[in-house]
Amino acid sequence: QSTWGPDWLTLAAMSDSDEVYLTDSDADLENESDDDEEIELSNAYHESKSFFDDRSRTPGMSERALTGFERFLAIESTRPAKSQFYFDALGHVVCLAFELGRLEDTKKRFAEFLGAMATVTRDQGERAVLAIFDLLTRSNADPDFMAAISRLAETHLERDPRILFKIQLKFAELFLKTKEFDRLRAACASLDALCARERSLDPSSTIALKLQLYVALNDVEQGLKLV
């Protein structure tokens, strides 16, 4: 059992029986050199994945997994078409970099991960990004780091209010828990703006958060305006 809870592939809906293939050309390799490269990529990915799965049992596996996935992504960076494992490898790197306390690397790879969401289906991308946010918001990460992650999400997911609403809701719940009320106010304002922009979104969660905020601040006047 992974220390992150359910396996990352399960969270991202990308099990071995549900791999993501970006183009038909990935399966139809043109020549032997392509075959060799594809084998190298597959080996790098699966070896790193085995280290990732074993990291809760064997010391040092997180470092080995991260090194392996970074090697995989370095190979991918030279390819015009990404392999079937690209998006998932980025997700693993985000989790591992965060686990190892490398917050700048986490932000960098998270931005790449968000950009790569366009290479998978909407549902796969949504499940994957929400799984990462579940991990981040369950942690005691530095508030400035979390704010930077929130800004990245806003920038990359601006055209998808449904996913952005779910992410902002997770942040708002985190800020309520940590009593960061100024950031909670800002998150609630973002949620209100998203609801105004996308009428299909349910504002009841935002209202409930505001009520809890005003109770925490003993602001009866503002609380009564919501009921």
Side-chain angles (χ1 to χ4, degrees):
Q1 180 72 23
S2 156
T3 55
W4 301 119
D7 183 83
W8 164 258
L9 293 181
T10 302
L11 289 170
M14 295 172 66
S15 65
D16 289 340
S17 61
D18 187 26
E19 296 286 6
V20 177
Y21 291 83
L22 304 185
T23 64
D24 291 337
S25 62
D26 285 332
D28 299 323
L29 301 174
E30 294 180 1
N31 53 49
E32 187 175 341
S33 64
D34 287 340
D35 274 334
D36 291 342
E37 186 178 72
E38 201 74 12
I39 290 169
E40 183 181 6
L41 275 171
S42 180
N43 288 344
Y45 175 85
H46 286 102
E47 180 182 55
S48 303
K49 179 64 168 59
S50 70
F51 295 151
F52 181 88
D53 292 340
D54 198 38
R55 73 195 190 288
S56 63
R57 297 182 294 271
T58 308
M61 284 296 148
S62 292
E63 286 279 7
R64 294 184 69 180
L66 181 58
T67 299
F69 281 124
E70 291 284 11
R71 179 165 62 90
F72 170 89
L73 292 172
I75 299 170
E76 281 278 38
S77 68
T78 67
R79 291 162 51 94
K82 305 306 181 189
S83 79
Q84 64 201 44
F85 305 115
Y86 175 66
F87 179 74
D88 195 53
L90 279 171
H92 281 91
V93 166
V94 172
C95 291
L96 288 163
F98 181 72
E99 180 184 63
L100 294 167
R102 300 174 186 175
L103 300 187
E104 290 303 316
D105 289 342
T106 303
K107 287 188 287 188
K108 174 187 172 184
R109 287 304 193 183
F110 183 65
E112 293 177 36
F113 175 80
L114 291 172
M117 285 177 66
T119 66
V120 297
T121 68
R122 178 190 176 94
D123 285 345
Q124 287 168 327
E126 180 175 332
R127 283 194 290 269
V129 74
L130 291 178
I132 286 182
F133 272 98
D134 279 338
L135 163 67
L136 297 180
T137 54
R138 285 199 307 267
S139 72
N140 294 316
D142 175 71
D144 290 334
F145 165 77
M146 297 301 290
I149 289 292
S150 178
R151 288 193 296 271
L152 283 172
E154 288 180 355
T155 299
H156 286 270
L157 301 175
E158 182 181 8
R159 296 184 180 180
D160 198 329
R162 187 182 74 174
I163 298 179
L164 198 52
F165 181 84
K166 292 179 180 179
I167 290 171
Q168 289 290 0
L169 189 59
K170 288 181 184 296
F171 273 114
E173 291 167 346
L174 173 66
F175 297 146
L176 177 63
K177 179 181 177 181
T178 57
K179 302 185 186 304
E180 295 176 74
F181 296 132
D182 287 341
R183 282 182 165 143
L184 175 55
R185 287 180 190 275
C188 286
S190 294
L191 289 166
D192 284 340
L194 287 167
C195 287
R197 173 179 152 197
E198 180 55 62
R199 296 295 182 180
S200 65
L201 296 174
D202 182 4
S204 60
S205 298
T206 309
I207 293 171
L209 282 165
K210 287 180 181 177
L211 280 171
Q212 293 178 79
L213 169 64
Y214 296 139
V215 167
L217 296 175
N218 198 28
D219 191 337
V220 178
E221 181 180 352
Q222 289 297 325
L224 287 173
K225 290 180 181 180
L226 297 175
V227 297

